Amino acid sequence: MKASPALILLGVTTAALAEEGMWTPDNFPAERVEESYGVTIDQQWLDRARLSTVRLTGPGGCTGSFVSSLGLILTNRHCVESCLAEHTNETRDVWNDGFYATSPGTELRCSDLQAAYLTDIREVTTLVNAATEGLEEVAANDARRQTFTRLEQECETASQTDARCEIVSLYQGGQYFLYETRRYDDVRLVFAPDVDIGKFGGDPDNFSFPRWTLDMAFLRAYQNDEPVSPDAHLTWRRDGPERDEAVFVTGHPGTTQRQLTVAEYQFLRNAVLPSWLIRNAELLGRYREFALRDPESRRMVQEDLERLENGVKFFRNQLAALLDDRLMVAKSMEEKTFREAVASQRELAAGIYAWHQVDRALAALSTFYDEYIMVERRGGFQGELMDQARALIRAATERDKPNEKRLRGYTDSQLPLVEQRVLSTSPIHMPLESLKVTFGLEKLREILGHDHPIVRKTLGNESPESMANRLIANTSLDDPAVRKKLWEGGLKAVERSKDPIIRLMRAVDGDARELLDRYRDEYQAPLREAHQSIARARFAILGTSVYPDATFTFRISYGTVSGWTESGREIDPFTRLEGVYERATGEKPYALSEAWLDARPSLDMSTPVNYVSTLDLTAGNSGSPVIDADGRIVGLAFDGNQYSIAGSFWYDIEKNRAIAVHPAIMIEALERVYKADRLLAEIELSKD
Amino acid sequence: MKASPALILLGVTTAALAEEGMWTPDNFPAERVEESYGVTIDQQWLDRARLSTVRLTGPGGCTGSFVSSLGLILTNRHCVESCLAEHTNETRDVWNDGFYATSPGTELRCSDLQAAYLTDIREVTTLVNAATEGLEEVAANDARRQTFTRLEQECETASQTDARCEIVSLYQGGQYFLYETRRYDDVRLVFAPDVDIGKFGGDPDNFSFPRWTLDMAFLRAYQNDEPVSPDAHLTWRRDGPERDEAVFVTGHPGTTQRQLTVAEYQFLRNAVLPSWLIRNAELLGRYREFALRDPESRRMVQEDLERLENGVKFFRNQLAALLDDRLMVAKSMEEKTFREAVASQRELAAGIYAWHQVDRALAALSTFYDEYIMVERRGGFQGELMDQARALIRAATERDKPNEKRLRGYTDSQLPLVEQRVLSTSPIHMPLESLKVTFGLEKLREILGHDHPIVRKTLGNESPESMANRLIANTSLDDPAVRKKLWEGGLKAVERSKDPIIRLMRAVDGDARELLDRYRDEYQAPLREAHQSIARARFAILGTSVYPDATFTFRISYGTVSGWTESGREIDPFTRLEGVYERATGEKPYALSEAWLDARPSLDMSTPVNYVSTLDLTAGNSGSPVIDADGRIVGLAFDGNQYSIAGSFWYDIEKNRAIAVHPAIMIEALERVYKADRLLAEIELSKD
């Protein structure tokens, strides 16, 4: 049943292999699943899975699933940590101690989180293509963006259920869809375990297996201060899946790049990843040293630190994958075969120009890539205050324009999210901001050079450190009330503001926008055209027997519960509770809280804790429900093994594994450690 | 006169191009120099240059030159900074303020520095090859090492002048030489300018040009408390070189890798450099954050920080060079042509096996590279105390063995250097040590994994941070008297020691030595054989019209004073004093000291400050004299431009430039800013 790696290497531009792929719900390969595993996935299963799965937006970007008729959402602890940080203060440390709302009234509002689920999908490829027909690439790119905004607006206006509408581009622009979602902006924390078990193994065990982590949490979606009633929710199968059983995962995988051209992989390998990694490894060192100052500093930086640790690990493994000649050789062979196929078919042959277009786009981007990253992408202007200032300035400017002419992040559909971010009452930690601002300005000068006009304009005669100190000492942007006033005052208020961070971001906004224009016109426009041509050729040869790259939109994967072989040794797919107590050294990240130490005698040591499967997933699937063929929860995805990271570029069925929390340990913990009776009464267990 | 890049790309395995090469004094291409520039370099010139040039050992590794009959040595400020740090304390800040010894008695002993110059060279290739004849690679590697030690010992015993003898392997083992040097262990600081002008532009301007930095200093070599009388010294030509004039540089370039196989370049690109960079960029972030704690912390970390900034910049540019397909394609073509030439000549054809041997060596190293770096190379056991403990333990163990059987770093010839290092009274800053130890242990766990036996043995149940705290709190190795006692007490004292750092390093010394053995037997032994075969084939085809890769041994390069073209713009080779005052913003690293602000009216603003030339040099050449055809000092090398970094792998005559301090600014500064009359009276100016 499993494909050999040789087949992957040689099976160039073939359809996806068994167990590979993050499928859209309208193109799920149910027949292939039935052939392989003898289980039937029907439309009802697919609809229920889709309607039960929520996308969590906010810092990170995760998945969750409805598990009760009162809007209860199961997700990972690491997906709700911005909320834990928000509610941690001198008197209450929910970050470390965890949280359980014993009554509905004590649930905690998470001001940075929103939840949404997908209610409808409509293809609009013809409309988008009609709007760009015959235009040269820059004009086509502009027309495409305006069409996106117009279609979204029309969709939202027409909706009778206050739906949010979003254009989704799949197959690198081979297809366009309108995705309608129902979104809830009021999301509250119901439960999270303590940090010791919730992040057991911490950064050392991240992307590793065997693993013993209870990375779970519950949220609840509210509307008008009442819990919502979702269209569907999932029940639980406490004993979880069998070994080799077919399982499924729904969620919002973030980004894969399995269909790039070889030139793009080389650009990632040579330019993007090394510079990101070297820059951010330094920032990681700063965060770690900052955390050592005192417990208060550690608390401030914790969340950023962990996100960055995860990012550095992820991208360094991505770089390792791209530096592995096996990958580059396979991709080159695949591309060569594909190009030959394109060139040999008369009606596709013009498509061969696409690869030259990619080369041209990359050559253009190379000439201003550092400036784009440093200025428009704020690599040189780091920190939340800079982000807030940018958002305030741009929102004020864009709101005065017709919807279609605005930057895509500031359309009517997006503005409420910007507003929520700008008005968030999450505390901003100024000592940490100071670190970030200093770091950004240092990188700005280091990477663009002391004599670059934007560096000169930004720093004048100041050093990065003293400028950062001055900005932080004199800004009042950390006050939500100040931001609210600026938001409401619009362009005039922003222009009159004497806040030094607003002034700085205004001074460079023209440069930043110019770089964004160049990015769009010189890089994105030709690249989009090229990808679209390549996608069309791919459809012509393969149809939709392939799946589109991940794009943070709803997908379903299928696979089996299965370990792998590591240096000749079989890795068992399941870990058990006894392993937690064996591994607990007493020192973080291998410590256990008193609750877990006290509960030990009452716990069944053979309870499964985590398990791996061949499910093809990636970042964004954190918090995804693992579902059985009967539509019941049999796991909670929270990570992948180290080989899953190369999954950004290809799927290696021999080694790529998803890691999930087993339902048995979740229920056991709620029952015996946390005594969360209210939750146990609310969720629906359905034992076989 | 200049070779085109196309010629470099196509001129595969040709002899060195004009202006390329770091030549040994016995093989200097004087004829080619005469042809190209019409200047004569005779044996007298070569001998004087060699005898005037000193190698400075200690932290860093630099060059200097005798500039008086009383042992006065000219070098860079950045080469004497360990000495500036050593003598900076609460009452005196010579690091920042600089230093000038107004009388001989006030010169400051630099306990970490030694100076040596090359007195004789003898080829011993035949002797070494005879000792390894017919042995298989591991046995040959052992025999070779023992022969090295024996030859060095015999040479030192035979010497009537107390010479130090060292085996030098050139052309990757194609030739072996005995280099005899005269070494002085008592080196004292005479003069260094203040930090503002001495490091003007700091890290932002490092590896950049145009540049305005007075990176100069004077030392003096002593013997029996008296200044030494060197065999030769250099005079000065105050007005420096003309544009396009032929100039020369003598010194000790550290490492170039221009003659590696393509497989080795790929290993550097894929494994060595990315992991070093990501690890050390994090350490850089920690150092920078540590420096922000308070002025005292900044002072502690300054020297390490600057060395690391330099290293990260250097290796990231090396990585960029290896990720540049132009380089890899050129090297591949060169290798292909060379291999074909080898295969086509009957008497060389067996040499083709060498490339397979390289592949085998690299494949073997890959399987334990991380462990080797973390344990034997102390990536997981960082800091000076760990270094001291390792040295004490190994010296005690090795001293009991016959000289030939010892580790190469602990032979009779090397032990005095180890002793000087162990007994150094330079202060060890414990807060900084704590950072380093924590960082090392974290990397050990991160890179080898929580479950690796050496990690388990090292950390037990402790976290890196708490273990580091315990080690630092309980060690007394920071006390030179304690180290002296351990040194003198030998193996028994070391074994009885309860110092936790000694105990830790003893506990892992077996593992470390095992990794060293594997490194030697599985990697170094086949690689040496392979390189030797390749070198022999290269000699057979090209003779010694090529130069050997840099190996920290004495070399001479030649070139011309010349700018380059940057994005269509001509870079003038000279900068002038007016540029310093224009660029001075008042904030470090673009600040000026009061002495320079006060002296401004008395200074000639057209005085040249720095200049670039096509001289082919690399790290280790810092402090090298730039000499004219008449043997006079016309500059002081201190850096290269950004393109000089790719010089590790190839020489690009279009862009690769060396940067030197101009003699005019050195003399002007001594006369008008520092009023260093004693020095001005001692050095010998010889105006045209």
Side-chain angles (χ1 to χ4, degrees):
Chain A
M1 217 160 62
K2 293 187 183 169
S4 77
L7 205 148
I8 297 175
L9 274 167
L10 298 172
V12 286
T13 64
T14 57
L17 294 154
E19 315 199 3
E20 172 179 357
M22 302 163 186
W23 301 88
T24 52
D26 52 324
N27 190 34
F28 185 76
E31 270 183 43
R32 204 186 305 170
V33 168
E34 179 130 28
E35 275 166 33
S36 301
Y37 312 112
V39 296
T40 309
I41 297 303
D42 57 18
Q43 193 57 44
Q44 200 191 341
W45 188 102
L46 289 168
D47 289 345
R48 183 147 163 271
R50 172 172 54 82
L51 294 168
S52 304
T53 304
V54 302
R55 177 170 167 185
L56 293 169
T57 48
C62 279
T63 297
S65 59
F66 285 123
V67 290
S68 89
S69 57
L70 287 172
L72 191 67
I73 296 169
L74 173 68
T75 187
N76 296 141
R77 180 190 144 106
H78 81 260
C79 294
V80 306
E81 288 186 340
S82 66
C83 192
L84 294 173
E86 183 180 354
H87 294 284
T88 288
N89 49 46
E90 293 71 35
T91 59
R92 170 157 85 165
D93 189 352
V94 295
W95 174 282
N96 276 307
D97 301 341
F99 176 74
Y100 168 47
T102 48
S103 66
T106 58
E107 295 176 359
L108 300 171
R109 175 82 189 259
C110 303
S111 67
D112 290 334
L113 289 179
Q114 303 90 35
Y117 65 97
L118 182 59
T119 51
D120 197 22
I121 295 180
R122 257 180 307 144
E123 185 167 2
V124 292
T125 312
T126 320
L127 292 174
V128 174
N129 289 348
T132 59
E133 190 68 44
L135 298 178
E136 55 77 34
E137 60 193 31
V138 172
N141 200 29
D142 288 341
R144 200 179 292 118
R145 272 200 318 275
Q146 293 179 18
T147 307
F148 290 173
T149 301
R150 183 173 53 79
L151 290 171
E152 286 168 357
Q153 192 170 22
E154 288 169 6
C155 166
E156 294 188 357
T157 309
S159 165
Q160 286 159 4
T161 58
D162 200 25
R164 302 292 175 171
C165 300
E166 192 191 356
I167 289 284
V168 167
S169 157
L170 297 178
Y171 299 101
Q172 262 96 0
Q175 292 182 339
Y176 294 99
F177 292 85
L178 259 175
Y179 274 36
E180 278 192 41
T181 58
R182 190 157 296 144
R183 191 166 75 207
Y184 302 109
D185 293 341
D186 183 353
V187 172
R188 304 187 191 174
L189 182 68
V190 180
F191 170 83
D194 60 77
V195 70
D196 288 337
I197 192 73
K199 303 174 88 73
F200 193 76
D203 180 56
D205 282 1
N206 190 15
F207 293 115
S208 292
F209 191 84
R211 186 79 160 275
W212 298 264
T213 307
L214 187 68
D215 193 354
M216 71 178 295
F218 287 106
L219 298 169
R220 193 185 305 278
Y222 279 77
Q223 200 167 29
N224 306 322
D225 254 337
E226 291 294 327
V228 306
S229 297
D231 292 330
H233 68 271
L234 300 172
T235 60
W236 296 58
R237 177 173 147 206
R238 180 175 186 154
D239 61 356
E242 314 270 318
R243 197 177 296 256
D244 295 323
E245 181 176 331
V247 288
F248 306 84
V249 75
T250 55
H252 305 88
T255 308
T256 57
Q257 302 176 298
R258 294 183 186 170
Q259 296 186 356
L260 297 189
T261 58
V262 170
E264 288 168 281
Y265 288 120
Q266 283 171 342
F267 191 74
L268 271 177
R269 183 193 70 182
N270 298 354
V272 178
L273 289 172
S275 77
W276 189 94
L277 277 164
I278 294 168
R279 207 165 68 238
N280 283 285
E282 184 190 332
L283 184 58
L284 185 61
R286 291 185 168 228
Y287 280 172
R288 285 183 169 155
E289 201 57 31
F290 182 87
L292 294 178
R293 284 191 196 171
D294 48 56
E296 169 68 5
S297 302
R298 186 181 291 271
R299 200 168 64 71
M300 278 184 213
V301 78
Q302 192 117 345
E303 201 194 340
D304 284 319
L305 175 56
E306 287 173 12
R307 192 160 32 234
L308 192 60
E309 282 174 339
N310 185 66
V312 167
K313 217 172 203 182
F314 187 82
F315 288 118
R316 84 179 274 180
N317 275 284
Q318 274 205 342
L319 180 61
L322 291 175
L323 285 168
D324 178 348
D325 282 334
R326 284 185 319 138
L327 172 71
M328 217 49 116
V329 167
K331 292 285 182 187
S332 298
M333 281 173 58
E334 184 174 319
E335 183 168 295
K336 186 163 170 281
T337 311
F338 183 43
R339 285 174 72 159
E340 282 165 6
V342 170
S344 69
Q345 296 190 34
R346 186 195 294 236
E347 66 280 18
L348 297 176
I352 216 69
Y353 171 66
W355 281 275
H356 301 292
Q357 231 170 348
V358 171
D359 291 342
R360 184 158 54 79
L362 292 170
L365 181 59
S366 303
T367 65
F368 62 94
Y369 179 73
D370 285 341
E371 287 159 289
Y372 173 71
I373 293 294
M374 285 294 117
V375 184
E376 168 60 16
R377 301 299 297 273
R378 295 199 303 100
F381 301 90
Q382 300 205 11
E384 278 191 66
L385 297 173
M386 297 277 197
D387 181 41
Q388 302 279 15
R390 163 77 59 87
L392 283 166
I393 293 163
R394 293 213 169 157
T397 315
E398 297 298 305
R399 270 186 300 183
D400 291 349
K401 299 180 186 170
N403 197 27
E404 286 182 30
K405 297 280 184 189
R406 294 185 200 157
L407 293 175
R408 288 277 297 151
Y410 297 86
T411 59
D412 285 337
S413 174
Q414 295 296 312
L415 269 178
L417 290 177
V418 179
E419 184 175 1
Q420 191 174 359
R421 204 172 88 222
V422 168
L423 303 187
S424 162
T425 53
S426 272
I428 294 177
H429 306 294
M430 296 304 260
L432 181 58
E433 279 295 296
S434 176
L435 183 161
K436 291 178 183 178
V437 173
T438 306
F439 177 75
L441 294 171
E442 278 179 9
K443 293 299 117 176
L444 184 77
R445 182 172 74 181
E446 176 186 316
I447 291 168
L448 301 188
H450 181 69
D451 298 322
H452 189 287
I454 300 177
V455 179
R456 289 258 161 149
K457 184 198 278 186
T458 302
L459 286 172
N461 272 356
E462 285 180 291
S463 71
E465 193 189 329
S466 66
M467 178 166 185
N469 289 339
R470 181 176 59 78
L471 293 176
I472 296 295
N474 294 301
T475 188
S476 52
L477 274 190
D478 54 321
D479 179 354
V482 170
R483 297 199 299 271
K484 190 157 195 281
K485 234 172 134 184
L486 284 167
W487 178 267
E488 286 163 358
L491 194 54
K492 269 204 185 131
V494 164
E495 279 174 354
R496 272 199 302 255
S497 169
K498 293 207 163 43
D499 190 281
I501 293 186
I502 293 279
R503 290 172 75 123
L504 171 63
M505 290 310 276
R506 276 189 60 216
V508 297
D509 201 48
D511 302 294
R513 282 173 179 264
E514 209 170 284
L515 287 161
L516 178 59
D517 286 342
R518 290 188 67 186
Y519 181 83
R520 278 188 192 159
D521 296 348
E522 298 174 33
Y523 170 69
Q524 204 181 54
L527 202 71
R528 283 226 169 120
E529 293 283 330
H531 280 163
Q532 214 158 17
S533 312
I534 292 171
R536 280 178 198 156
R538 197 176 271 124
F539 281 141
I541 295 171
L542 297 169
T544 52
S545 67
V546 289
Y547 56 93
D549 263 323
T551 52
F552 271 114
T553 54
F554 181 79
R555 301 297 175 88
I556 312 173
S557 303
Y558 63 95
T560 56
V561 174
S562 164
W564 77 96
T565 308
E566 183 71 48
S567 314
R569 208 163 47 87
E570 289 294 318
I571 307 289
D572 191 90
F574 295 98
T575 62
R576 294 180 189 280
L577 190 49
E578 60 203 4
V580 173
Y581 289 94
E582 276 165 23
R583 200 168 179 80
T585 61
E587 286 234 34
K588 284 174 186 287
Y590 300 101
L592 287 176
S593 64
E594 291 208 359
W596 280 85
L597 294 172
D598 292 347
R600 182 172 186 171
S602 71
L603 297 170
D604 175 358
M605 288 297 137
S606 68
T607 309
V609 178
N610 293 160
Y611 69 91
V612 285
S613 65
T614 62
L615 286 166
D616 186 8
L617 47 71
T618 189
N621 271 119
S622 280
S624 280
V626 182
I627 310 176
D628 69 7
D630 293 330
R632 298 170 299 181
I633 286 183
V634 289
L636 171 62
F638 72 100
D639 203 2
N641 68 357
Q642 65 177 110
Y643 305 106
S644 70
I645 296 172
S648 297
F649 309 121
W650 64 356
Y651 178 77
D652 176 6
I653 198 172
E654 298 292 334
K655 302 246 182 198
N656 185 337
R657 292 295 178 271
I659 311 178
V661 186
H662 195 281
I665 191 68
M666 293 195 268
I667 306 292
E668 180 112 348
L670 292 174
E671 279 176 358
R672 295 180 193 273
V673 183
Y674 299 107
K675 323 266 195 258
D677 300 335
R678 189 167 77 93
L679 288 174
L680 290 163
E682 185 173 348
I683 65 174
E684 295 159 32
L685 298 187
S686 81
K687 218 165 176 265
D688 283 291
Chain B
M1 214 158 64
K2 293 186 183 168
S4 79
L7 206 147
I8 296 173
L9 274 166
L10 298 172
V12 287
T13 65
T14 56
L17 294 153
E19 316 199 1
E20 173 180 354
M22 303 164 184
W23 300 88
T24 51
D26 52 324
N27 190 33
F28 185 77
E31 269 181 46
R32 203 187 306 170
V33 169
E34 179 130 27
E35 275 165 34
S36 301
Y37 312 112
V39 296
T40 309
I41 298 302
D42 57 17
Q43 193 57 43
Q44 198 190 343
W45 187 102
L46 289 168
D47 289 344
R48 184 147 162 269
R50 172 172 54 80
L51 294 168
S52 304
T53 304
V54 302
R55 177 169 167 184
L56 293 170
T57 50
C62 279
T63 297
S65 58
F66 285 122
V67 291
S68 88
S69 57
L70 288 171
L72 192 67
I73 296 169
L74 173 68
T75 186
N76 295 142
R77 180 191 144 107
H78 81 258
C79 295
V80 305
E81 288 185 340
S82 65
C83 192
L84 294 174
E86 182 180 358
H87 293 285
T88 288
N89 49 45
E90 293 71 34
T91 58
R92 170 158 84 164
D93 189 352
V94 294
W95 173 282
N96 276 307
D97 301 341
F99 176 73
Y100 168 48
T102 48
S103 66
T106 58
E107 295 176 358
L108 299 171
R109 175 81 189 258
C110 303
S111 68
D112 289 333
L113 289 179
Q114 303 90 34
Y117 64 97
L118 180 60
T119 50
D120 197 23
I121 295 179
R122 256 180 308 142
E123 184 167 2
V124 292
T125 312
T126 321
L127 292 174
V128 174
N129 289 347
T132 60
E133 189 69 46
L135 298 179
E136 55 75 36
E137 58 192 32
V138 172
N141 200 27
D142 288 342
R144 200 178 294 118
R145 273 200 318 277
Q146 293 180 18
T147 308
F148 291 172
T149 301
R150 182 173 53 78
L151 290 171
E152 286 168 357
Q153 192 170 22
E154 288 169 5
C155 167
E156 292 188 358
T157 309
S159 164
Q160 286 160 8
T161 58
D162 199 24
R164 303 292 176 172
C165 300
E166 191 191 357
I167 288 282
V168 168
S169 156
L170 298 179
Y171 300 101
Q172 261 94 0
Q175 292 182 339
Y176 294 98
F177 291 85
L178 260 175
Y179 275 37
E180 279 192 40
T181 58
R182 189 158 299 143
R183 190 165 76 206
Y184 303 108
D185 295 340
D186 183 353
V187 172
R188 304 187 191 175
L189 181 67
V190 180
F191 169 82
D194 59 79
V195 71
D196 288 336
I197 193 73
K199 304 176 88 74
F200 193 76
D203 180 56
D205 283 1
N206 191 13
F207 292 117
S208 292
F209 191 83
R211 186 82 159 274
W212 299 262
T213 307
L214 188 68
D215 193 355
M216 71 178 295
F218 287 105
L219 299 168
R220 193 185 304 278
Y222 279 77
Q223 199 166 30
N224 305 323
D225 254 336
E226 292 293 327
V228 306
S229 297
D231 290 330
H233 67 272
L234 300 173
T235 61
W236 296 58
R237 179 174 145 204
R238 179 173 187 158
D239 61 356
E242 314 269 320
R243 195 177 298 256
D244 296 322
E245 181 176 331
V247 288
F248 305 83
V249 75
T250 55
H252 306 88
T255 308
T256 57
Q257 303 177 297
R258 294 183 186 169
Q259 296 188 353
L260 297 189
T261 58
V262 170
E264 288 168 281
Y265 288 119
Q266 283 171 341
F267 190 74
L268 270 176
R269 184 194 69 181
N270 298 354
V272 178
L273 289 173
S275 76
W276 189 94
L277 277 165
I278 294 168
R279 207 164 69 238
N280 284 284
E282 184 189 333
L283 184 58
L284 184 61
R286 293 188 166 227
Y287 281 172
R288 284 184 169 154
E289 203 55 33
F290 182 87
L292 294 178
R293 285 191 195 171
D294 48 55
E296 169 67 7
S297 302
R298 184 180 293 270
R299 199 168 64 72
M300 276 184 213
V301 78
Q302 190 118 347
E303 201 193 340
D304 284 319
L305 174 56
E306 287 172 12
R307 196 165 23 237
L308 192 60
E309 283 174 337
N310 185 66
V312 167
K313 217 171 201 182
F314 187 81
F315 288 119
R316 84 179 274 183
N317 275 285
Q318 273 204 343
L319 180 61
L322 291 174
L323 285 168
D324 178 347
D325 282 334
R326 286 186 317 141
L327 173 71
M328 216 51 114
V329 166
K331 292 284 182 188
S332 298
M333 282 172 59
E334 185 174 319
E335 184 168 293
K336 187 163 170 282
T337 311
F338 182 43
R339 285 174 72 159
E340 283 165 7
V342 170
S344 69
Q345 295 191 34
R346 184 195 294 239
E347 65 280 19
L348 298 177
I352 216 69
Y353 171 68
W355 279 276
H356 302 292
Q357 229 170 348
V358 170
D359 290 342
R360 184 158 54 77
L362 291 171
L365 180 60
S366 302
T367 65
F368 64 93
Y369 180 72
D370 285 342
E371 288 159 287
Y372 173 72
I373 293 295
M374 284 296 117
V375 184
E376 167 60 17
R377 301 298 298 271
R378 295 199 302 101
F381 301 89
Q382 299 205 14
E384 276 190 69
L385 296 173
M386 298 277 196
D387 180 42
Q388 301 279 15
R390 165 76 61 87
L392 283 165
I393 293 163
R394 294 214 168 156
T397 315
E398 296 298 306
R399 269 185 301 183
D400 291 348
K401 300 180 186 170
N403 196 28
E404 286 181 32
K405 298 279 182 190
R406 295 185 201 159
L407 294 174
R408 290 277 295 150
Y410 297 85
T411 58
D412 285 338
S413 174
Q414 294 297 313
L415 270 179
L417 290 178
V418 180
E419 183 174 4
Q420 190 175 359
R421 205 172 87 222
V422 169
L423 303 187
S424 163
T425 52
S426 270
I428 294 178
H429 306 295
M430 295 304 259
L432 182 58
E433 279 295 297
S434 176
L435 184 162
K436 291 178 183 179
V437 173
T438 305
F439 177 75
L441 294 172
E442 279 179 10
K443 293 299 117 177
L444 183 76
R445 183 172 74 178
E446 176 186 317
I447 290 168
L448 301 187
H450 182 68
D451 298 322
H452 189 287
I454 299 177
V455 179
R456 289 259 161 149
K457 183 198 278 188
T458 301
L459 286 173
N461 272 357
E462 284 180 293
S463 69
E465 195 188 327
S466 66
M467 177 164 186
N469 288 339
R470 180 176 59 79
L471 293 176
I472 296 295
N474 295 301
T475 187
S476 52
L477 273 191
D478 55 321
D479 179 353
V482 169
R483 297 199 299 271
K484 190 158 198 279
K485 234 174 134 182
L486 284 166
W487 178 268
E488 285 163 357
L491 196 54
K492 271 206 182 129
V494 164
E495 280 173 354
R496 271 199 301 254
S497 169
K498 293 208 160 47
D499 190 281
I501 293 186
I502 291 279
R503 290 173 76 124
L504 171 62
M505 290 308 278
R506 274 189 60 216
V508 297
D509 201 47
D511 301 294
R513 281 174 180 263
E514 210 170 284
L515 288 161
L516 179 59
D517 285 343
R518 290 189 67 186
Y519 181 83
R520 276 190 194 157
D521 295 348
E522 298 174 35
Y523 170 69
Q524 202 182 55
L527 201 71
R528 282 225 170 122
E529 293 283 332
H531 279 163
Q532 214 159 20
S533 311
I534 292 171
R536 279 177 200 156
R538 196 176 270 124
F539 281 141
I541 296 169
L542 297 168
T544 50
S545 67
V546 289
Y547 56 92
D549 263 324
T551 52
F552 270 115
T553 53
F554 181 79
R555 301 298 174 89
I556 312 173
S557 303
Y558 63 95
T560 56
V561 175
S562 166
W564 76 98
T565 307
E566 183 72 49
S567 314
R569 208 164 46 86
E570 290 293 319
I571 307 289
D572 191 273
F574 295 97
T575 63
R576 295 181 189 278
L577 190 49
E578 59 204 4
V580 173
Y581 290 94
E582 276 165 25
R583 200 169 181 81
T585 62
E587 286 233 34
K588 283 173 186 285
Y590 300 100
L592 287 176
S593 65
E594 292 208 2
W596 281 84
L597 294 172
D598 292 347
R600 183 172 185 173
S602 71
L603 297 170
D604 175 359
M605 288 296 136
S606 67
T607 309
V609 176
N610 293 161
Y611 69 90
V612 285
S613 65
T614 60
L615 286 166
D616 186 7
L617 47 73
T618 190
N621 272 120
S622 280
S624 281
V626 181
I627 310 175
D628 69 7
D630 293 330
R632 297 169 300 181
I633 286 182
V634 289
L636 170 62
F638 72 101
D639 203 2
N641 67 357
Q642 63 178 111
Y643 305 105
S644 70
I645 295 172
S648 297
F649 309 120
W650 63 354
Y651 178 77
D652 175 6
I653 198 171
E654 297 293 334
K655 302 249 184 197
N656 184 338
R657 293 294 178 274
I659 312 178
V661 186
H662 195 281
I665 192 67
M666 295 195 267
I667 305 292
E668 180 113 350
L670 294 174
E671 279 177 358
R672 294 178 194 273
V673 183
Y674 298 107
K675 323 267 194 263
D677 300 335
R678 189 168 74 94
L679 288 174
L680 290 163
E682 185 173 350
I683 65 175
E684 295 159 32
L685 299 187
S686 81
K687 217 161 178 270
D688 284 289

